[in-house]
């Protein structure tokens, strides 16, 4: 389940978050939500937060330019593609957040503020290629 901070606020009961802090739900609240709905929960923000109800990650990759229409669709598609490659759901979600965040940062540096969500796909492919070819990174060829 891919959420923004406003959606988290709507889903979590008021008692689960300190007053005035419902948009910054902590890991225990997000883990409880993931367990309740039996799904991986991804909360986009700075940083992205991912939990499967047992494990939790924070992914600091990202850029404010990713807060536009269509980028969540790209993130969902990348996660689905990783799931199709048999990655466990929580790992696929965390890796997708890293790839899309890294791609957004690269687009902002290379293109500036005028990029479109469709441009993100090529940048995600480049981020994955960079990750797979970085010394010490995952070795898919051996």
């Amino acid at each position: 389940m891919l959420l923004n901070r406003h959606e988290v606020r709507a889903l979590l009961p008021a008692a689960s978050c300190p007053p005035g802090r419902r948009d910054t739900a902590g890991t225990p609240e997000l883990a409880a939500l993931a367990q309740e709905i039996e799904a991986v929960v991804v909360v986009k923000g700075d940083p992205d937060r991912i939990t499967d109800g047992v494990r939790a990650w924070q992914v600091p990759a990202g850029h404010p330019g990713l807060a536009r229409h269509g980028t969540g669709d790209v993130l969902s598609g990348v996660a689905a593609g990783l799931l199709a490659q048999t990655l466990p759901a929580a790992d696929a979600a965390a890796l997708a957040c890293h790839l899309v965040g890294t791609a957004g940062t690269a687009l902002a540096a290379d293109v500036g503020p005028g990029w479109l969500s469709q441009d993100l796909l090529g940048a995600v492919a480049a981020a994955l290629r960079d990750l797979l070819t970085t010394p010490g990174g995952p070795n898919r060829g051996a």
Side-chain angles (χ1 to χ4, degrees), residues 5-93:
R5 62 186 171 96
H6 302 292
E7 293 163 334
V8 169
R9 186 178 13 204
L11 287 173
L12 290 177
S16 72
C17 300
R21 303 291 295 183
R22 290 187 69 203
D23 62 341
T24 56
T27 301
E29 293 85 12
L30 296 176
L33 177 62
Q35 289 174 349
E36 179 182 338
I37 64 173
E38 298 180 3
V40 174
V41 172
V42 176
V43 180
K44 295 295 299 160
D46 184 17
D48 295 340
R49 295 179 295 154
I50 302 101
T51 183
D52 60 3
V54 177
R55 301 174 297 160
W57 297 263
Q58 289 192 5
V59 179
H63 188 273
L66 289 168
R68 64 177 71 194
H69 69 282
T71 58
D73 296 331
V74 173
L75 176 62
S76 296
V78 171
L82 294 168
L83 282 167
Q85 299 298 315
T86 69
L87 240 52
D91 296 334

